[in-house]
Amino acid sequence: MAKIFNVTGLCIPEKHYMVDLSSRLAAIREMVDAGDYFTINRARQYGKTTTLRALAKYLRPDYIVVSMDFQRMSSSVFESENGFCLAFAKEFIKKVQTPNRLTDSELLPFTTILEKEPEKILLFDLFGCLSELCSSLNKPVVLLIDEVDQASNNQVFLDFLSQLRACYLDREEIPAFQSVILAGVYDIRSMKKKIRPAEEHQENSPWNVAEDFRIDMSFSANDISGMLNDYEKDYHTGMNINSMSELIYDFTSGYPYLVSRLCKLMDEYIPGLNDIPDRCTAWTKEGFLSALKLLLEENNPLFDSLMNKLYDYPEMNHMVSRLLFQGESIAYNPDDVSVKDAMMFGLVKVQNSTLQIANRIFETRLYNKFLLMAKERNSEMFSEGSRSKNQFVIDGHLNLRHILERFVDTFDFLYGDSSESFVEDEGRKYFMLFLKPIINGTGNCYVEPETRNHERMDLVIDYLGEQYICELKIWHGNSYNERGENQLTRYLDYFHLKKGYMLSFNFNKKKEIGVKDIMIGDRIIVEAVV
């Protein structure tokens, strides 16, 4: 059976195109060998389950590996200590027995306690059995628990963590697990404050023995290249593997689900669509942009989860909006709850000690979310863009100069007398509101992260396979403006373009609004001033 790109659940090397996990597994193995207890906290669909399953197989020659999943245990079992202990014991026996084939005598501590008085089993009894088992086996025992945060809002789970902590601290005297690895989205070290009353928040975390897990689980361009090499051996598309890998990485920053989803779209959905007749054409830049458009327009569990988190965490939602539209430089502060939440859910990353949206795809989807809310769609600027959109596309090409001309007139009419602070905070948002209905359904736009700041943002617009670069900036005098023009020409070189666009929000009362052409070498800069 032919392999496929998988985006649902566990990835299996024999069935799915995958990146090579061997270097990550070796790094995790070093932590296991050192006897570390730790948590793998990563966002949704970041490859946690696939990594745990691969790790279990990788460790089994030298360890007894018990792989559990708290999703298999109903929420009701966490409501009482006895219910949890019974469910855990039964699941543990099943999971330790299946791949390891333990003898009846090795399982005797568990079978005895389950047969004798199961209604009286508590955590003390459970961990006594686990210790006896660790003592009797001929290999060290490693416990893996996936989806551990399914139970993290329960007091019983905190007590379970406390027992694991006690085992870790006493393991020189009492046999215990070699290593315990817990995987989930939420940081279980912070769950205590959601359950215990405020006066107990200062108590030690029941999981403060955990080592930091610093292994990068995102896919590099080289990782993607290796996966595409395997694909190319099967289908011989003639793709430029290095260029395609870099392109995929540029838009995903290696987020595993996004990488696999784009590849799946190019493999299965794009061939035969519009001007892309086959797989060979699908694995080109044009095919990639078509797949990107499909991805940005679809509802999938990852996007649904992210958008729901923005509704559930309003402070985080506000912070993301500031990043997107105001170009605000938000310093990484590990004590800021909104920052921690945004990182935990995979919305942002840290670069040069400041926050950035995690990848271009999330950024574009977030722009769509904020710009297409009912309040924004009802704004005068969005309505004007909608009414005029048919005049801005000529023979399939976006007439960005005309868009700028119309925007300057509209903005000056609606907001020409607004305060400087209003223009500085909202100006770029209003241009994107004007642009959105014009390109919506056909094109997309995103901001280059290295240019995002309070003074300048380079907006990249993709429309029917063509790219347009428009710098949105706040006016700070002629010398600053000339530097911006030179920066834009260097950016045009990067995109191999001869024409660029600049929109300046000028607070000078004597400013001359309008649009003009500026020649810099052999580059044309179309500059608009409002």
Side-chain angles (χ1 to χ4, degrees), residues 111-122:
T111 53
T112 299
I113 199 171
L114 286 173
E115 291 172 358
K116 194 172 182 181
E117 293 182 297
E119 71 282 357
K120 294 184 178 181
I121 299 176
L122 299 177

Side-chain angles (χ1 to χ4, degrees), residues 473-487:
K473 69 182 190 62
I474 308 299
W475 178 273
H476 288 287
N478 287 325
S479 61
Y480 176 82
N481 196 57
E482 290 172 2
R483 289 199 303 274
E485 292 166 353
N486 291 327
Q487 289 170 341

Side-chain angles (χ1 to χ4, degrees), residues 413-508:
F413 175 75
L414 293 174
Y415 310 111
D417 296 327
S418 298
S419 66
E420 179 175 324
S421 61
F422 168 82
V423 175
E424 194 162 3
D425 289 343
E426 303 291 338
R428 289 177 288 204
K429 179 179 180 180
Y430 278 114
F431 176 69
M432 297 180 79
L433 271 173
F434 185 81
L435 178 67
K436 186 61 188 172
I438 297 169
I439 66 172
N440 197 37
T442 304
N444 285 294
C445 62
Y446 59 88
V447 174
E448 277 299 307
E450 62 268 24
T451 69
R452 182 197 303 281
N453 58 53
H454 198 55
E455 298 175 342
R456 170 176 180 247
M457 293 184 348
D458 281 331
L459 189 67
V460 182
I461 303 165
D462 288 320
Y463 192 87
L464 292 178
E466 291 186 277
Q467 290 183 312
Y468 306 80
I469 313 300
C470 183
E471 180 179 329
L472 313 180
K473 69 182 190 62
I474 308 299
W475 178 273
H476 288 287
N478 287 325
S479 61
Y480 176 82
N481 196 57
E482 290 172 2
R483 289 199 303 274
E485 292 166 353
N486 291 327
Q487 289 170 341
L488 180 56
T489 57
R490 289 195 294 272
Y491 210 57
L492 292 175
D493 290 339
Y494 174 78
F495 279 90
H496 308 292
L497 296 171
K498 293 291 186 181
K499 180 182 287 188
Y501 303 83
M502 180 181 290
L503 174 58
S504 298
F505 295 92
N506 191 335
F507 309 129
N508 191 330

Side-chain angles (χ1 to χ4, degrees), residues 12 65 92 143 163 171 191 251 283 288 308 322 382 388 390 427 444-445 451 485 512 521:
I12 302 170
V65 182
F92 185 92
L143 176 64
Q163 289 292 327
R171 60 185 178 170
M191 286 298 163
F251 278 82
W283 290 93
F288 170 84
N308 287 336
R322 285 157 51 206
F382 190 92
S388 309
N390 292 332
N444 285 294
C445 62
T451 69
E485 292 166 353
E512 182 179 342

Side-chain angles (χ1 to χ4, degrees), residues 96-97 100-109 111 133 136-137:
V96 75
Q97 179 72 320
N100 302 294
R101 303 192 182 283
L102 303 186
T103 64
D104 290 342
S105 61
E106 289 171 324
L107 289 173
L108 188 60
T111 53
L133 187 71
S136 65
L137 297 179

Side-chain angles (χ1 to χ4, degrees), residues 78-317:
F78 297 98
E79 294 176 359
S80 72
E81 185 174 342
N82 175 251
F84 171 78
C85 292
L86 278 174
F88 187 94
K90 291 176 181 178
E91 187 69 12
F92 185 92
I93 291 172
K94 181 168 64 176
K95 291 296 185 178
V96 75
Q97 179 72 320
T98 302
N100 302 294
R101 303 192 182 283
L102 303 186
T103 64
D104 290 342
S105 61
E106 289 171 324
L107 289 173
L108 188 60
F110 276 102
T111 53
T112 299
I113 199 171
L114 286 173
E115 291 172 358
K116 194 172 182 181
E117 293 182 297
E119 71 282 357
K120 294 184 178 181
I121 299 176
L122 299 177
L123 285 168
F124 177 82
D125 308 299
L126 174 65
F127 275 85
C129 292
L130 293 172
S131 180
E132 284 189 54
L133 187 71
C134 291
S135 174
S136 65
L137 297 179
N138 60 355
K139 294 179 183 179
V141 182
V142 177
L143 176 64
L144 313 179
I145 305 180
D146 198 7
E147 301 291 348
V148 71
D149 46 5
Q150 295 289 315
S152 56
N153 280 329
N154 294 275
Q155 182 61 52
V156 170
F157 175 70
L158 291 181
D159 295 337
F160 172 72
L161 286 182
S162 296
Q163 289 292 327
L164 284 176
R165 178 178 181 269
C167 289
Y168 176 88
L169 296 174
D170 295 338
R171 60 185 178 170
E172 294 299 322
E173 300 174 1
I174 301 174
F177 297 116
Q178 165 74 16
S179 179
V180 175
I181 306 171
L182 311 179
V185 173
Y186 292 86
D187 185 352
I188 60 175
R189 290 175 296 184
S190 64
M191 286 298 163
K192 189 175 191 178
K193 62 187 178 185
K194 294 187 176 182
I195 304 171
R196 301 273 175 89
E199 62 270 15
E200 298 185 22
H201 286 181
Q202 300 303 315
E203 293 184 10
N204 289 334
S205 164
W207 197 235
N208 62 3
V209 296
E211 289 291 328
D212 289 336
F213 183 78
R214 299 183 178 274
I215 296 167
D216 187 0
M217 291 176 63
S218 65
F219 297 162
S220 67
N222 285 336
D223 289 330
I224 299 169
S225 179
M227 179 171 63
L228 294 185
N229 265 309
D230 290 342
Y231 178 85
E232 188 66 3
K233 289 175 184 175
D234 290 339
Y235 290 101
H236 310 288
T237 68
M239 78 168 89
N240 185 323
I241 290 176
N242 289 335
S243 295
M244 182 57 64
S245 301
E246 292 286 352
L247 189 59
I248 293 171
Y249 180 81
D250 283 346
F251 278 82
T252 64
S253 294
Y255 198 110
Y257 173 85
L258 298 177
V259 171
S260 296
R261 185 59 181 165
L262 281 171
C263 290
K264 188 176 186 68
L265 290 171
M266 284 187 282
D267 175 47
E268 298 180 19
Y269 293 76
I270 296 302
L273 191 67
N274 299 328
D275 297 327
I276 303 173
D278 51 32
R279 276 195 173 97
C280 296
T281 316
W283 290 93
T284 61
K285 184 176 181 180
E286 291 70 28
F288 170 84
L289 292 175
S290 295
L292 178 64
K293 181 176 179 293
L294 286 183
L295 175 57
L296 288 168
E297 291 176 351
E298 73 179 9
N299 289 320
N300 58 54
L302 177 59
F303 289 162
D304 289 345
S305 175
L306 289 177
M307 298 308 143
N308 287 336
K309 294 297 185 294
L310 291 172
Y311 289 114
D312 294 339
Y313 296 79
E315 291 184 4
M316 182 177 72
N317 184 76

